[in-house]
Amino acid sequence: MGLKVLILGVNGFIGSSLTRRILQETNWDVYGMDVGDDRVRDLLVEPRFHFKEGDICIHQEWIEYHVKKCDVVLPLAAIATPATYVRDPLAVFELDFEANLAIVRQCVKYRRRLIFPSTSEVYGMSPDTPYNEETSALVTGPIEKERWIYASCKQLMDRVIYAYGKRDNLHFTLFRPFNWFGPHLDRLYEPKADQNRADPSEGPSRVVTRFMSNIFNGEDIILVDGGRQKRAFLYVDDGIDALMRIIRDDGGNADGRIFNIGHPGNEVSIRELAEKMLQITAQFEGYEGVGLTVRLIEKAGEAHYGKGYQDLQVRVPCIENAKKHLNWTPKIDLHTALKRTIAFYINQREVPAAAKQRAIA
Ligand code: UGA
């Protein structure tokens, strides 16, 4: 008998990628809940995939039953887009903290292993380079900088889980994704007739999919605060590889530990990211002219996201913990990762367009 893995938010970016990998590589069963199924629709026929359409805030009975039934629990349902932290901070608190706390407590009650998504944002604007799980502090701005509600919720949850580990012997692992991206990161926005979107809460807000959408729609790319800030991006396949090692937990090496999961070698400024994405997209057939219509425009962060926004300039993970205890290293360089992601979105865009044309004909 294989493991029984419960994934809440199974249709999300990480949940759907993880489910695909589990079904391909193992004999495990995945029990998954989500409000939608568009990213996992092709997997619904798999006998080892047990999907329930539902909301983690409403279908608590189903969740409790499955926490009891499964070996490992991954509560991945959360809001993870900075535009929403600023626009609707209470929604972040209610879902990312309150709703997930109930699930954490069930793992304590039924003594189930918990693998919880912490985040690179728990370091806030820490001046450390790189960010270290054991020594780096959380540095946030004042309360009126609402962007930090996500970091604060996630860090408090890390502390709660850690405390349950100590007091009640909860078996847990916390993983901290550092700017993961790849296919299915966000859904792209439908083109709006020659109008530039000013509101970042409309359409994808995370940077790679936002730029992708801008490029496809021939819109200006907005470089928030000049695009000088840097991020280290990790391709999703590398992240899923780390997660598989955490779930397998060979020798109990993941238990009670916190892991930064990112690619220090893929650090890039946001301006460079935009330039690279334009260059790579232009290498695809039929997209040679994209750079001609898309301009790079600088805009202040507060003007773009609202007054509650504040940003960090540099964020690089220390991945020694993951190397040592999971025997994991990221393998996919930024260029390859962008090329694969852009190919995915081009394909996703062209297949429905071709189908529509056929339907008209
Ligand atoms: C992200 C999100 O909080 C989460 O997805 C996650 O927990 C975490 O960090 C992570 O993935 O490690 P951030 O790195 O700010 O936060 O993610 P993006 O929204 O993708 O923005 C990256 C940078 O691009 C920011 O400096 C932002 O201001 C900039 N940006 C974004 C632009 O310059 N233009 C845009 O149109 C969008």
mmCIF file of all heavy atoms in Angstrom, residues 80-83 85 118-121 147 150 154 177-180 200 205-208 210-211 214 221-225 227 229-231 233 270 273 301 304-305 309 311-312 315, ligand 1:
data_model
loop_
_atom_site.group_PDB
_atom_site.id
_atom_site.type_symbol
_atom_site.label_atom_id
_atom_site.label_comp_id
_atom_site.label_asym_id
_atom_site.label_seq_id
_atom_site.Cartn_x
_atom_site.Cartn_y
_atom_site.Cartn_z
ATOM 1 N N ALA A 80 -1.689 34.088 -2.310
ATOM 2 C CA ALA A 80 -0.232 34.324 -2.341
ATOM 3 C C ALA A 80 0.152 35.408 -3.346
ATOM 4 O O ALA A 80 1.222 35.374 -3.934
ATOM 5 C CB ALA A 80 0.492 33.018 -2.661
ATOM 6 N N THR A 81 -0.740 36.382 -3.544
ATOM 7 C CA THR A 81 -0.444 37.437 -4.507
ATOM 8 C C THR A 81 -0.401 38.795 -3.797
ATOM 9 O O THR A 81 -1.387 39.205 -3.170
ATOM 10 C CB THR A 81 -1.517 37.485 -5.616
ATOM 11 O OG1 THR A 81 -2.809 37.475 -4.994
ATOM 12 C CG2 THR A 81 -1.427 36.292 -6.524
ATOM 13 N N PRO A 82 0.754 39.489 -3.879
ATOM 14 C CA PRO A 82 0.906 40.750 -3.154
ATOM 15 C C PRO A 82 -0.191 41.789 -3.428
ATOM 16 O O PRO A 82 -0.584 42.525 -2.524
ATOM 17 C CB PRO A 82 2.278 41.250 -3.619
ATOM 18 C CG PRO A 82 3.031 39.990 -3.936
ATOM 19 C CD PRO A 82 2.019 39.054 -4.507
ATOM 20 N N ALA A 83 -0.734 41.811 -4.642
ATOM 21 C CA ALA A 83 -1.804 42.796 -4.916
ATOM 22 C C ALA A 83 -2.981 42.561 -3.973
ATOM 23 O O ALA A 83 -3.625 43.518 -3.511
ATOM 24 C CB ALA A 83 -2.254 42.678 -6.372
ATOM 25 N N TYR A 85 -2.769 41.178 -0.891
ATOM 26 C CA TYR A 85 -2.408 41.515 0.499
ATOM 27 C C TYR A 85 -2.785 42.965 0.792
ATOM 28 O O TYR A 85 -3.227 43.306 1.876
ATOM 29 C CB TYR A 85 -0.906 41.368 0.791
ATOM 30 C CG TYR A 85 -0.213 40.110 0.301
ATOM 31 C CD1 TYR A 85 1.171 40.098 0.114
ATOM 32 C CD2 TYR A 85 -0.924 38.942 0.042
ATOM 33 C CE1 TYR A 85 1.833 38.962 -0.319
ATOM 34 C CE2 TYR A 85 -0.255 37.807 -0.402
ATOM 35 C CZ TYR A 85 1.112 37.824 -0.589
ATOM 36 O OH TYR A 85 1.763 36.711 -1.030
ATOM 37 N N SER A 118 5.281 27.459 4.263
ATOM 38 C CA SER A 118 5.657 28.764 4.775
ATOM 39 C C SER A 118 5.983 29.607 3.534
ATOM 40 O O SER A 118 5.451 29.333 2.453
ATOM 41 C CB SER A 118 6.847 28.607 5.721
ATOM 42 O OG SER A 118 7.269 29.855 6.199
ATOM 43 N N THR A 119 6.823 30.577 3.625
ATOM 44 C CA THR A 119 7.093 31.428 2.454
ATOM 45 C C THR A 119 8.401 32.193 2.632
ATOM 46 O O THR A 119 8.812 32.472 3.764
ATOM 47 C CB THR A 119 5.940 32.439 2.257
ATOM 48 O OG1 THR A 119 6.351 33.435 1.309
ATOM 49 C CG2 THR A 119 5.573 33.158 3.535
ATOM 50 N N SER A 120 8.988 32.559 1.513
ATOM 51 C CA SER A 120 10.165 33.439 1.546
ATOM 52 C C SER A 120 9.821 34.771 2.214
ATOM 53 O O SER A 120 10.701 35.467 2.712
ATOM 54 C CB SER A 120 10.637 33.714 0.124
ATOM 55 O OG SER A 120 9.635 34.430 -0.578
ATOM 56 N N GLU A 121 8.527 35.123 2.196
ATOM 57 C CA GLU A 121 8.127 36.426 2.747
ATOM 58 C C GLU A 121 8.253 36.476 4.272
ATOM 59 O O GLU A 121 8.137 37.549 4.857
ATOM 60 C CB GLU A 121 6.692 36.764 2.327
ATOM 61 C CG GLU A 121 6.555 36.932 0.833
ATOM 62 C CD GLU A 121 6.102 38.314 0.396
ATOM 63 O OE1 GLU A 121 5.475 39.023 1.185
ATOM 64 O OE2 GLU A 121 6.391 38.673 -0.749
ATOM 65 N N ARG A 147 0.910 45.158 3.095
ATOM 66 C CA ARG A 147 1.534 44.053 2.365
ATOM 67 C C ARG A 147 2.053 42.973 3.315
ATOM 68 O O ARG A 147 2.072 41.791 2.991
ATOM 69 C CB ARG A 147 2.692 44.614 1.527
ATOM 70 C CG ARG A 147 3.322 43.569 0.618
ATOM 71 C CD ARG A 147 4.732 43.244 1.017
ATOM 72 N NE ARG A 147 5.196 42.060 0.315
ATOM 73 C CZ ARG A 147 5.759 42.072 -0.887
ATOM 74 N NH1 ARG A 147 5.943 43.208 -1.527
ATOM 75 N NH2 ARG A 147 6.144 40.958 -1.451
ATOM 76 N N TYR A 150 0.535 39.142 5.037
ATOM 77 C CA TYR A 150 0.804 37.771 4.578
ATOM 78 C C TYR A 150 2.021 37.209 5.315
ATOM 79 O O TYR A 150 1.964 36.108 5.884
ATOM 80 C CB TYR A 150 1.032 37.811 3.067
ATOM 81 C CG TYR A 150 1.449 36.504 2.435
ATOM 82 C CD1 TYR A 150 0.554 35.462 2.269
ATOM 83 C CD2 TYR A 150 2.752 36.326 1.950
ATOM 84 C CE1 TYR A 150 0.936 34.284 1.653
ATOM 85 C CE2 TYR A 150 3.144 35.147 1.335
ATOM 86 C CZ TYR A 150 2.228 34.128 1.189
ATOM 87 O OH TYR A 150 2.614 32.953 0.576
ATOM 88 N N LYS A 154 1.845 34.127 7.985
ATOM 89 C CA LYS A 154 2.620 32.922 7.708
ATOM 90 C C LYS A 154 3.650 32.685 8.816
ATOM 91 O O LYS A 154 3.873 31.554 9.221
ATOM 92 C CB LYS A 154 3.326 33.048 6.354
ATOM 93 C CG LYS A 154 2.397 32.880 5.169
ATOM 94 C CD LYS A 154 2.002 31.420 4.992
ATOM 95 C CE LYS A 154 1.417 31.149 3.632
ATOM 96 N NZ LYS A 154 1.050 29.737 3.448
ATOM 97 N N PRO A 177 8.888 28.364 -0.246
ATOM 98 C CA PRO A 177 9.151 28.608 -1.666
ATOM 99 C C PRO A 177 9.695 30.016 -1.883
ATOM 100 O O PRO A 177 9.164 30.981 -1.319
ATOM 101 C CB PRO A 177 7.770 28.477 -2.325
ATOM 102 C CG PRO A 177 6.889 27.819 -1.309
ATOM 103 C CD PRO A 177 7.456 28.198 0.028
ATOM 104 N N PHE A 178 10.737 30.119 -2.691
ATOM 105 C CA PHE A 178 11.280 31.427 -3.093
ATOM 106 C C PHE A 178 10.953 31.641 -4.564
ATOM 107 O O PHE A 178 11.579 31.077 -5.447
ATOM 108 C CB PHE A 178 12.809 31.453 -2.901
ATOM 109 C CG PHE A 178 13.249 31.788 -1.511
ATOM 110 C CD1 PHE A 178 12.988 30.924 -0.458
ATOM 111 C CD2 PHE A 178 13.936 32.979 -1.245
ATOM 112 C CE1 PHE A 178 13.391 31.226 0.830
ATOM 113 C CE2 PHE A 178 14.348 33.293 0.037
ATOM 114 C CZ PHE A 178 14.079 32.420 1.080
ATOM 115 N N ASN A 179 9.944 32.449 -4.796
ATOM 116 C CA ASN A 179 9.544 32.832 -6.158
ATOM 117 C C ASN A 179 9.545 31.664 -7.136
ATOM 118 O O ASN A 179 10.234 31.692 -8.159
ATOM 119 C CB ASN A 179 10.392 34.013 -6.669
ATOM 120 C CG ASN A 179 10.045 35.291 -5.928
ATOM 121 O OD1 ASN A 179 10.617 35.604 -4.894
ATOM 122 N ND2 ASN A 179 9.053 36.014 -6.425
ATOM 123 N N TRP A 180 8.758 30.649 -6.828
ATOM 124 C CA TRP A 180 8.561 29.534 -7.761
ATOM 125 C C TRP A 180 7.725 30.026 -8.940
ATOM 126 O O TRP A 180 6.793 30.827 -8.782
ATOM 127 C CB TRP A 180 7.802 28.379 -7.103
ATOM 128 C CG TRP A 180 8.532 27.684 -6.006
ATOM 129 C CD1 TRP A 180 9.651 28.104 -5.349
ATOM 130 C CD2 TRP A 180 8.175 26.420 -5.419
ATOM 131 N NE1 TRP A 180 10.017 27.171 -4.392
ATOM 132 C CE2 TRP A 180 9.126 26.136 -4.417
ATOM 133 C CE3 TRP A 180 7.146 25.504 -5.648
ATOM 134 C CZ2 TRP A 180 9.072 24.972 -3.637
ATOM 135 C CZ3 TRP A 180 7.093 24.349 -4.878
ATOM 136 C CH2 TRP A 180 8.058 24.085 -3.892
ATOM 137 N N PRO A 200 -3.606 46.326 -10.565
ATOM 138 C CA PRO A 200 -2.862 45.065 -10.524
ATOM 139 C C PRO A 200 -3.668 43.925 -9.931
ATOM 140 O O PRO A 200 -3.266 42.770 -10.028
ATOM 141 C CB PRO A 200 -1.653 45.397 -9.647
ATOM 142 C CG PRO A 200 -2.058 46.569 -8.844
ATOM 143 C CD PRO A 200 -3.089 47.319 -9.635
ATOM 144 N N SER A 205 -1.136 38.756 -10.994
ATOM 145 C CA SER A 205 -0.346 39.839 -10.420
ATOM 146 C C SER A 205 1.090 39.419 -10.172
ATOM 147 O O SER A 205 1.955 40.242 -10.061
ATOM 148 C CB SER A 205 -0.997 40.360 -9.144
ATOM 149 O OG SER A 205 -0.558 39.630 -8.031
ATOM 150 N N ARG A 206 1.347 38.091 -10.094
ATOM 151 C CA ARG A 206 2.741 37.712 -9.872
ATOM 152 C C ARG A 206 3.542 37.979 -11.138
ATOM 153 O O ARG A 206 3.042 37.849 -12.252
ATOM 154 C CB ARG A 206 2.830 36.267 -9.415
ATOM 155 C CG ARG A 206 2.516 36.187 -7.925
ATOM 156 C CD ARG A 206 2.540 34.810 -7.403
ATOM 157 N NE ARG A 206 1.389 34.046 -7.886
ATOM 158 C CZ ARG A 206 0.999 32.896 -7.343
ATOM 159 N NH1 ARG A 206 1.668 32.384 -6.344
ATOM 160 N NH2 ARG A 206 -0.048 32.255 -7.818
ATOM 161 N N VAL A 207 4.794 38.344 -10.916
ATOM 162 C CA VAL A 207 5.500 39.064 -11.970
ATOM 163 C C VAL A 207 5.649 38.277 -13.277
ATOM 164 O O VAL A 207 5.452 38.851 -14.356
ATOM 165 C CB VAL A 207 6.847 39.599 -11.429
ATOM 166 C CG1 VAL A 207 7.850 38.489 -11.156
ATOM 167 C CG2 VAL A 207 7.417 40.634 -12.347
ATOM 168 N N VAL A 208 5.965 37.002 -13.224
ATOM 169 C CA VAL A 208 6.224 36.284 -14.479
ATOM 170 C C VAL A 208 4.958 36.204 -15.332
ATOM 171 O O VAL A 208 4.984 36.487 -16.537
ATOM 172 C CB VAL A 208 6.790 34.861 -14.207
ATOM 173 C CG1 VAL A 208 6.860 34.050 -15.493
ATOM 174 C CG2 VAL A 208 8.172 34.957 -13.569
ATOM 175 N N ARG A 210 2.325 38.124 -15.009
ATOM 176 C CA ARG A 210 1.902 39.478 -15.361
ATOM 177 C C ARG A 210 2.614 39.937 -16.635
ATOM 178 O O ARG A 210 2.005 40.441 -17.569
ATOM 179 C CB ARG A 210 2.248 40.425 -14.201
ATOM 180 C CG ARG A 210 1.785 41.840 -14.419
ATOM 181 C CD ARG A 210 0.273 41.854 -14.486
ATOM 182 N NE ARG A 210 -0.288 43.177 -14.449
ATOM 183 C CZ ARG A 210 -1.533 43.424 -14.089
ATOM 184 N NH1 ARG A 210 -2.328 42.460 -13.722
ATOM 185 N NH2 ARG A 210 -1.994 44.645 -14.111
ATOM 186 N N PHE A 211 3.933 39.725 -16.662
ATOM 187 C CA PHE A 211 4.705 40.141 -17.839
ATOM 188 C C PHE A 211 4.295 39.325 -19.071
ATOM 189 O O PHE A 211 4.228 39.839 -20.182
ATOM 190 C CB PHE A 211 6.212 40.006 -17.576
ATOM 191 C CG PHE A 211 6.779 41.042 -16.619
ATOM 192 C CD1 PHE A 211 8.124 41.005 -16.239
ATOM 193 C CD2 PHE A 211 5.991 42.063 -16.102
ATOM 194 C CE1 PHE A 211 8.649 41.953 -15.363
ATOM 195 C CE2 PHE A 211 6.509 43.011 -15.217
ATOM 196 C CZ PHE A 211 7.842 42.950 -14.847
ATOM 197 N N ASN A 214 1.165 40.803 -20.318
ATOM 198 C CA ASN A 214 1.470 42.085 -20.970
ATOM 199 C C ASN A 214 2.037 41.852 -22.378
ATOM 200 O O ASN A 214 1.638 42.513 -23.339
ATOM 201 C CB ASN A 214 2.513 42.883 -20.169
ATOM 202 C CG ASN A 214 2.012 43.363 -18.820
ATOM 203 O OD1 ASN A 214 2.768 43.446 -17.868
ATOM 204 N ND2 ASN A 214 0.732 43.699 -18.723
ATOM 205 N N ILE A 221 4.878 47.014 -20.118
ATOM 206 C CA ILE A 221 5.277 46.293 -18.907
ATOM 207 C C ILE A 221 5.591 47.343 -17.846
ATOM 208 O O ILE A 221 6.333 48.295 -18.109
ATOM 209 C CB ILE A 221 6.520 45.425 -19.189
ATOM 210 C CG1 ILE A 221 6.090 44.169 -19.956
ATOM 211 C CG2 ILE A 221 7.258 45.061 -17.907
ATOM 212 C CD1 ILE A 221 7.222 43.214 -20.275
ATOM 213 N N ILE A 222 5.004 47.175 -16.687
ATOM 214 C CA ILE A 222 5.254 48.154 -15.626
ATOM 215 C C ILE A 222 6.356 47.645 -14.719
ATOM 216 O O ILE A 222 6.252 46.568 -14.127
ATOM 217 C CB ILE A 222 3.958 48.440 -14.849
ATOM 218 C CG1 ILE A 222 3.014 49.156 -15.813
ATOM 219 C CG2 ILE A 222 4.241 49.288 -13.600
ATOM 220 C CD1 ILE A 222 1.652 49.407 -15.320
ATOM 221 N N LEU A 223 7.432 48.418 -14.636
ATOM 222 C CA LEU A 223 8.525 48.077 -13.731
ATOM 223 C C LEU A 223 8.293 48.863 -12.448
ATOM 224 O O LEU A 223 8.494 50.084 -12.400
ATOM 225 C CB LEU A 223 9.872 48.447 -14.348
ATOM 226 C CG LEU A 223 10.223 47.700 -15.637
ATOM 227 C CD1 LEU A 223 11.525 48.233 -16.229
ATOM 228 C CD2 LEU A 223 10.323 46.199 -15.387
ATOM 229 N N VAL A 224 7.835 48.150 -11.437
ATOM 230 C CA VAL A 224 7.532 48.804 -10.167
ATOM 231 C C VAL A 224 8.855 49.315 -9.563
ATOM 232 O O VAL A 224 9.831 48.566 -9.490
ATOM 233 C CB VAL A 224 6.814 47.815 -9.223
ATOM 234 C CG1 VAL A 224 6.649 48.410 -7.838
ATOM 235 C CG2 VAL A 224 5.452 47.433 -9.805
ATOM 236 N N ASP A 225 8.852 50.563 -9.163
ATOM 237 C CA ASP A 225 10.048 51.202 -8.587
ATOM 238 C C ASP A 225 11.295 50.995 -9.459
ATOM 239 O O ASP A 225 12.401 50.791 -8.951
ATOM 240 C CB ASP A 225 10.287 50.695 -7.158
ATOM 241 C CG ASP A 225 9.146 51.105 -6.212
ATOM 242 O OD1 ASP A 225 8.574 52.209 -6.410
ATOM 243 O OD2 ASP A 225 8.814 50.331 -5.297
ATOM 244 N N GLY A 227 12.183 48.531 -11.310
ATOM 245 C CA GLY A 227 12.599 47.145 -11.598
ATOM 246 C C GLY A 227 14.016 46.838 -11.166
ATOM 247 O O GLY A 227 14.637 45.887 -11.653
ATOM 248 N N GLN A 229 14.800 46.011 -8.056
ATOM 249 C CA GLN A 229 14.724 44.969 -7.029
ATOM 250 C C GLN A 229 14.964 43.595 -7.657
ATOM 251 O O GLN A 229 14.646 43.376 -8.815
ATOM 252 C CB GLN A 229 13.361 45.013 -6.301
ATOM 253 C CG GLN A 229 12.132 44.687 -7.115
ATOM 254 C CD GLN A 229 11.625 45.854 -7.944
ATOM 255 O OE1 GLN A 229 12.400 46.624 -8.495
ATOM 256 N NE2 GLN A 229 10.320 45.984 -8.077
ATOM 257 N N LYS A 230 15.522 42.719 -6.824
ATOM 258 C CA LYS A 230 15.902 41.406 -7.363
ATOM 259 C C LYS A 230 15.137 40.278 -6.686
ATOM 260 O O LYS A 230 14.774 40.379 -5.513
ATOM 261 C CB LYS A 230 17.391 41.175 -7.145
ATOM 262 C CG LYS A 230 18.258 42.079 -7.979
ATOM 263 C CD LYS A 230 19.702 41.743 -7.722
ATOM 264 C CE LYS A 230 20.593 42.537 -8.659
ATOM 265 N NZ LYS A 230 21.991 42.350 -8.326
ATOM 266 N N ARG A 231 14.960 39.207 -7.431
ATOM 267 C CA ARG A 231 14.416 37.976 -6.885
ATOM 268 C C ARG A 231 15.231 36.809 -7.444
ATOM 269 O O ARG A 231 15.758 36.892 -8.557
ATOM 270 C CB ARG A 231 12.949 37.777 -7.311
ATOM 271 C CG ARG A 231 11.967 38.836 -6.816
ATOM 272 C CD ARG A 231 11.752 38.768 -5.314
ATOM 273 N NE ARG A 231 10.642 39.606 -4.887
ATOM 274 C CZ ARG A 231 10.743 40.891 -4.559
ATOM 275 N NH1 ARG A 231 11.922 41.511 -4.609
ATOM 276 N NH2 ARG A 231 9.665 41.570 -4.177
ATOM 277 N N PHE A 233 14.573 33.236 -8.783
ATOM 278 C CA PHE A 233 13.407 32.456 -9.231
ATOM 279 C C PHE A 233 13.735 30.961 -9.308
ATOM 280 O O PHE A 233 14.832 30.575 -9.713
ATOM 281 C CB PHE A 233 12.955 32.947 -10.609
ATOM 282 C CG PHE A 233 12.329 34.312 -10.574
ATOM 283 C CD1 PHE A 233 13.092 35.460 -10.784
ATOM 284 C CD2 PHE A 233 10.978 34.462 -10.308
ATOM 285 C CE1 PHE A 233 12.525 36.719 -10.739
ATOM 286 C CE2 PHE A 233 10.395 35.722 -10.261
ATOM 287 C CZ PHE A 233 11.173 36.861 -10.480
ATOM 288 N N ILE A 270 14.219 42.690 -11.689
ATOM 289 C CA ILE A 270 12.919 42.596 -12.362
ATOM 290 C C ILE A 270 13.003 43.212 -13.769
ATOM 291 O O ILE A 270 12.380 42.726 -14.704
ATOM 292 C CB ILE A 270 11.820 43.247 -11.487
ATOM 293 C CG1 ILE A 270 11.698 42.493 -10.141
ATOM 294 C CG2 ILE A 270 10.475 43.296 -12.201
ATOM 295 C CD1 ILE A 270 11.406 40.995 -10.244
ATOM 296 N N LEU A 273 14.531 40.616 -15.878
ATOM 297 C CA LEU A 273 13.530 39.559 -16.122
ATOM 298 C C LEU A 273 12.636 39.950 -17.301
ATOM 299 O O LEU A 273 12.385 39.142 -18.208
ATOM 300 C CB LEU A 273 12.680 39.335 -14.863
ATOM 301 C CG LEU A 273 11.549 38.334 -15.031
ATOM 302 C CD1 LEU A 273 12.076 36.898 -15.017
ATOM 303 C CD2 LEU A 273 10.492 38.494 -13.936
ATOM 304 N N GLY A 301 5.814 51.994 -6.559
ATOM 305 C CA GLY A 301 5.084 50.863 -5.969
ATOM 306 C C GLY A 301 3.738 51.272 -5.392
ATOM 307 O O GLY A 301 2.720 50.603 -5.611
ATOM 308 N N HIS A 304 1.211 51.907 -8.015
ATOM 309 C CA HIS A 304 0.784 50.704 -8.732
ATOM 310 C C HIS A 304 -0.130 49.826 -7.878
ATOM 311 O O HIS A 304 -1.200 49.411 -8.311
ATOM 312 C CB HIS A 304 2.021 49.914 -9.160
ATOM 313 C CG HIS A 304 1.709 48.735 -10.029
ATOM 314 N ND1 HIS A 304 1.070 48.845 -11.239
ATOM 315 C CD2 HIS A 304 1.950 47.406 -9.858
ATOM 316 C CE1 HIS A 304 0.933 47.643 -11.784
ATOM 317 N NE2 HIS A 304 1.455 46.749 -10.955
ATOM 318 N N TYR A 305 0.319 49.543 -6.632
ATOM 319 C CA TYR A 305 -0.432 48.599 -5.794
ATOM 320 C C TYR A 305 -1.333 49.284 -4.768
ATOM 321 O O TYR A 305 -2.217 48.654 -4.205
ATOM 322 C CB TYR A 305 0.539 47.709 -5.011
ATOM 323 C CG TYR A 305 1.283 46.680 -5.827
ATOM 324 C CD1 TYR A 305 2.613 46.885 -6.189
ATOM 325 C CD2 TYR A 305 0.674 45.490 -6.207
ATOM 326 C CE1 TYR A 305 3.316 45.930 -6.913
ATOM 327 C CE2 TYR A 305 1.365 44.532 -6.929
ATOM 328 C CZ TYR A 305 2.686 44.761 -7.284
ATOM 329 O OH TYR A 305 3.372 43.810 -7.990
ATOM 330 N N TYR A 309 1.501 49.183 0.056
ATOM 331 C CA TYR A 309 2.560 48.343 -0.534
ATOM 332 C C TYR A 309 3.944 48.788 -0.080
ATOM 333 O O TYR A 309 4.218 49.973 0.069
ATOM 334 C CB TYR A 309 2.486 48.423 -2.060
ATOM 335 C CG TYR A 309 3.436 47.468 -2.761
ATOM 336 C CD1 TYR A 309 3.196 46.099 -2.753
ATOM 337 C CD2 TYR A 309 4.563 47.931 -3.431
ATOM 338 C CE1 TYR A 309 4.058 45.216 -3.399
ATOM 339 C CE2 TYR A 309 5.429 47.060 -4.087
ATOM 340 C CZ TYR A 309 5.165 45.699 -4.064
ATOM 341 O OH TYR A 309 6.021 44.836 -4.698
ATOM 342 N N ASP A 311 8.134 47.112 -0.604
ATOM 343 C CA ASP A 311 8.830 46.011 -1.277
ATOM 344 C C ASP A 311 10.179 45.745 -0.628
ATOM 345 O O ASP A 311 10.679 46.530 0.182
ATOM 346 C CB ASP A 311 9.021 46.370 -2.758
ATOM 347 C CG ASP A 311 9.187 45.133 -3.639
ATOM 348 O OD1 ASP A 311 9.189 44.008 -3.111
ATOM 349 O OD2 ASP A 311 9.327 45.314 -4.856
ATOM 350 N N LEU A 312 10.769 44.630 -0.999
ATOM 351 C CA LEU A 312 12.115 44.288 -0.542
ATOM 352 C C LEU A 312 13.019 44.275 -1.769
ATOM 353 O O LEU A 312 12.568 44.006 -2.872
ATOM 354 C CB LEU A 312 12.082 42.909 0.114
ATOM 355 C CG LEU A 312 11.353 41.859 -0.712
ATOM 356 C CD1 LEU A 312 12.253 40.726 -1.084
ATOM 357 C CD2 LEU A 312 10.141 41.395 0.058
ATOM 358 N N ARG A 315 16.431 39.186 -2.233
ATOM 359 C CA ARG A 315 15.948 38.034 -1.468
ATOM 360 C C ARG A 315 16.566 36.765 -2.057
ATOM 361 O O ARG A 315 16.133 36.277 -3.091
ATOM 362 C CB ARG A 315 14.423 37.975 -1.540
ATOM 363 C CG ARG A 315 13.860 36.764 -0.828
ATOM 364 C CD ARG A 315 12.381 36.916 -0.560
ATOM 365 N NE ARG A 315 11.572 36.786 -1.734
ATOM 366 C CZ ARG A 315 10.295 37.190 -1.791
ATOM 367 N NH1 ARG A 315 9.712 37.758 -0.761
ATOM 368 N NH2 ARG A 315 9.607 37.033 -2.880
HETATM 369 C C1 UGA B 1 5.853 36.821 -3.682
HETATM 370 C C2 UGA B 1 4.450 36.554 -3.193
HETATM 371 O O1 UGA B 1 4.236 37.135 -1.933
HETATM 372 C C3 UGA B 1 4.191 35.094 -3.047
HETATM 373 O O2 UGA B 1 3.865 34.537 -4.312
HETATM 374 C C4 UGA B 1 5.268 34.273 -2.408
HETATM 375 O O3 UGA B 1 4.971 33.873 -1.107
HETATM 376 C C5 UGA B 1 6.625 34.876 -2.402
HETATM 377 O O4 UGA B 1 6.791 36.191 -2.849
HETATM 378 C C6 UGA B 1 7.512 33.974 -3.236
HETATM 379 O O5 UGA B 1 7.071 33.482 -4.276
HETATM 380 O O6 UGA B 1 8.653 33.779 -2.859
HETATM 381 P P1 UGA B 1 7.002 38.946 -4.686
HETATM 382 O O7 UGA B 1 8.349 38.346 -4.798
HETATM 383 O O8 UGA B 1 6.952 40.401 -4.420
HETATM 384 O O9 UGA B 1 6.102 38.212 -3.620
HETATM 385 O O10 UGA B 1 6.243 38.528 -6.028
HETATM 386 P P2 UGA B 1 5.695 39.223 -7.343
HETATM 387 O O11 UGA B 1 4.339 39.774 -7.121
HETATM 388 O O12 UGA B 1 5.843 38.180 -8.384
HETATM 389 O O13 UGA B 1 6.658 40.468 -7.624
HETATM 390 C C7 UGA B 1 8.041 40.369 -7.814
HETATM 391 C C8 UGA B 1 8.574 41.777 -8.062
HETATM 392 O O14 UGA B 1 8.131 42.231 -9.344
HETATM 393 C C9 UGA B 1 8.112 42.823 -7.052
HETATM 394 O O15 UGA B 1 9.188 43.661 -6.733
HETATM 395 C C10 UGA B 1 7.048 43.606 -7.811
HETATM 396 O O16 UGA B 1 6.917 44.927 -7.373
HETATM 397 C C11 UGA B 1 7.558 43.524 -9.225
HETATM 398 N N1 UGA B 1 6.504 43.665 -10.267
HETATM 399 C C12 UGA B 1 5.394 42.898 -10.245
HETATM 400 C C13 UGA B 1 6.683 44.592 -11.294
HETATM 401 O O17 UGA B 1 7.714 45.311 -11.349
HETATM 402 N N2 UGA B 1 5.715 44.722 -12.240
HETATM 403 C C14 UGA B 1 4.584 43.982 -12.239
HETATM 404 O O18 UGA B 1 3.723 44.157 -13.141
HETATM 405 C C15 UGA B 1 4.418 43.017 -11.210
#
